Amino acid sequence: MDPKPTPTAGPGPNVGPGPNAGPGPNAGPGPEVLRCRGLRKEFGGQVVLDGLDLTVAEHQVVALIGASGSGKSTLLRCVNLLEELHDGTIELDGEEISAPGIDPDKVRRRIGMVFQSYNLFPHLSVLDNVTLAPRRVHRRSRAEAETRARELLDRVGLAAKADAYPDRLSGGQQQRVAIVRALANSPRLLLLDEVTSALDPELVGEVLTMIRDLKAEGMTMVLATHEMGFAREVADQVCFLDAGRVVESGPPEQVLAHPTQPRTRQFLARIIEANRL
Amino acid sequence: MSTVLHDPSPAQQARTAYRRRQTVLSVLIAAASTAAVGTLLAVTVTGAPGWDRVQQTFLDPQLARDALPQVLTGLWLNVRLLVCCAIGALLLGLLIAVLRTLRGPVFFPIRALAAGYTYAFRGLPLIIVLYLLTFGVPGLRLQGTPSVLVLGGLALILTYAGYLAEVFRAGIESVHPSQLAAARSLGLTHRQTMRHVVLPQALRRVAPPLLNDVVALQKDVGLVSLAGPIDAVRAAQIASAQTFNYTPYIVAGVLFVLLAIPLIAVTDQVTLRAARRQSGG
């Protein structure tokens, strides 16, 4: 995983004084899918997001990295309108979804989200987990929804588990079902919140493979992750979050290998120490 | 567990032998203590100075046979009331619990009303509710006032719905917020989330305590006899008043226990299944 250990320890020669010295985040192809401007979120007086900006273009994969509590999960929850914003705007395909009067249920149908702890519905079989939203939200017939669900499950090698209940699956299988469940809505944008953090190390690979395939298919994704190697491989853009702001962003080879910000270097040095890069 | 030929080591043989001895010993001790307590009870009761009198007054076989038809007729009323009241109270309780989960300022009055309901009807003694409905409502002399039996059943439903609503609410709140987040992230509305994600999980969890309340209701339905209708206990009272003998009460008591056994067995079964599911079995 480390062909050339990154020169992150100690102050490097290329310390850019200005913030965001790298190329702008709009380098990706295609139109903008998501644009967050000046997002602010507090929890009981504590500022979790502090004027955060983020832009994601179509077919782009953006990896959010940063220490626990830097605001990665909160950002994803805000984008999915699961949290109330305290300032700023969010646009999805040019439409402001943070505007008052917008029906959050309708917005969430266009955004898929996968959680760290899978959050499958334990009382429903795998197939019912996957078909719940297509049937209830998109009003597909049972036959139609199940055909598509089986197709999706088959593609990730879980066709045999369609009738099993979540507690009969391994963590990796559960997380793959959770991703399939989100995909069944044909989302415009997929949010992945540390989807491998709860998994045993030997199960991480199968989930990452699935995300890799999604990227190949052109899915637009924002993923919060601790897997630096994976972020480097799959992301078009890496954003380092610290204290609720994007401190540094750019192509992975730049942010991960030649970070310009002292905070980023500090963080990556700690990660290397923990032997995760 | 396939049968694999395996010669246990001497250590394992010693352990097995020890465990077997312990098992035999505990069975023997249990049998002996049961026999001792049983004998002591029998001797104390039958040897008591007033035993003959008590036997005549409470355990007269002929009177038991005579009272049985009347008590059974009364019991039929209990059964019918139980079925109707249990269904009614479960539905009303569920409705109140769901109303209490509604969010948003528009629903404040409904929420407050539902909360007030559970406070009022859990606090108010059943007998007072019963009197208010069975004597108070007919006193209004309105057109189409239902029969006393229906009003009495209504009093039971109103009171028990208060308790059951709180059990339902506990179940609803026991569903982890991450389940709600997952459902909402899929685009399900609050109502769809309740109906397809929260309630199915909540109901499974609270089925045992709900059934336990139904067992309690089974005994309380007899209280409608205070307003006139003749249930099993009231029938026994009438029978015993004719003969100055308490045997009919014993008959009614035995019938009540027999009636409760299937319900309690179902409750135990459901509890067991829930426990197994919890342990991931």
Side-chain angles (χ1 to χ4, degrees), chain A residues 31-35 58 91-96 110 188:
Chain A
E32 270 175 20
V33 174
L34 178 73
R35 176 185 277 272
E58 198 172 24
E91 285 171 24
L92 184 67
D93 284 325
E95 179 199 1
E96 193 194 329
R110 292 151 59 192
R188 180 81 174 117

Side-chain angles (χ1 to χ4, degrees), chain A residues 103-147:
Chain A
D103 180 357
D105 295 328
K106 290 211 173 109
V107 172
R108 294 192 197 107
R109 290 170 200 180
R110 292 151 59 192
I111 304 177
M113 181 150 183
V114 183
F115 301 84
Q116 181 177 346
S117 51
Y118 337 131
N119 298 4
L120 292 180
F121 305 128
H123 62 294
L124 297 178
S125 70
V126 165
L127 195 63
D128 289 341
N129 262 281
V130 177
T131 56
L132 179 64
R135 288 180 58 202
R136 303 298 167 190
V137 176
H138 298 280
R139 301 276 162 211
R140 303 255 186 285
S141 72
R142 175 189 273 271
E144 194 186 339
E146 290 192 350
T147 308

Side-chain angles (χ1 to χ4, degrees), chain B:
Chain B
M1 281 265 175
S2 57
T3 45
V4 181
L5 287 177
H6 166 70
D7 287 327
S9 67
Q12 180 58 29
Q13 283 174 11
R15 266 200 296 273
T16 311
Y18 177 76
R19 264 189 228 132
R20 201 172 297 138
R21 273 201 307 280
Q22 287 296 310
T23 309
V24 171
L25 199 64
S26 32
V27 168
L28 284 178
I29 291 174
S33 76
T34 308
V37 171
T39 313
L40 193 70
L41 258 176
V43 169
T44 313
V45 172
T46 55
W51 170 241
D52 287 342
R53 268 321 273 235
V54 168
Q55 200 179 11
Q56 278 169 27
T57 327
F58 284 88
L59 300 168
D60 187 323
Q62 184 54 46
L63 284 176
R65 268 194 294 277
D66 292 347
L68 190 62
Q70 299 164 45
V71 176
L72 271 177
T73 311
L75 195 72
W76 177 230
L77 180 84
N78 290 69
V79 173
R80 280 178 298 160
L81 257 179
L82 172 67
V83 171
C84 296
C85 292
I87 293 170
L90 284 167
L91 289 178
L92 184 59
L94 182 59
L95 177 72
I96 291 163
V98 170
L99 289 181
R100 282 194 77 172
T101 68
L102 289 178
R103 294 285 159 259
V106 190
F107 298 115
F108 176 77
I110 296 175
R111 246 185 351 253
L113 216 64
Y117 182 96
T118 61
Y119 274 85
F121 280 96
R122 281 188 302 161
L124 210 55
L126 173 57
I127 292 184
I128 295 176
V129 182
L130 205 63
Y131 281 151
L132 280 174
L133 262 85
T134 54
F135 298 150
V137 172
L140 295 173
R141 296 203 209 160
L142 292 169
Q143 281 283 313
T145 302
S147 72
V148 168
L149 190 60
V150 173
L151 288 169
L154 212 58
L156 285 159
I157 289 174
L158 288 174
T159 303
Y160 267 78
Y163 291 103
L164 295 177
E166 287 303 287
V167 177
F168 279 121
R169 193 163 72 100
I172 289 170
E173 284 177 359
S174 77
V175 176
H176 198 268
S178 65
Q179 289 283 311
L180 276 109
R184 301 310 295 272
S185 80
L186 288 169
L188 269 70
T189 61
H190 175 84
R191 231 170 100 179
Q192 289 171 325
T193 302
M194 264 293 167
R195 156 104 171 67
H196 297 291
V197 175
V198 177
L199 283 181
Q201 295 185 55
L203 295 189
R204 268 161 229 231
R205 254 173 244 178
V206 297
L210 285 175
L211 282 168
N212 193 38
D213 276 344
V214 171
V215 174
L217 173 65
Q218 182 185 331
K219 288 180 290 184
D220 277 355
V221 289
L223 288 174
V224 291
S225 62
L226 289 172
I230 296 168
D231 83 314
V233 177
R234 179 89 176 108
Q237 189 190 13
I238 293 168
S240 68
Q242 285 161 354
T243 56
F244 301 102
N245 189 294
Y246 290 116
T247 305
Y249 280 121
I250 299 291
V251 172
V254 169
L255 288 176
F256 264 100
V257 172
L258 290 179
L259 190 63
I261 285 173
L263 203 51
I264 293 170
V266 168
T267 310
D268 286 350
Q269 203 60 41
V270 170
T271 312
L272 204 68
R273 258 185 30 212
R276 273 209 210 108
R277 215 175 6 239
Q278 288 273 310
S279 60

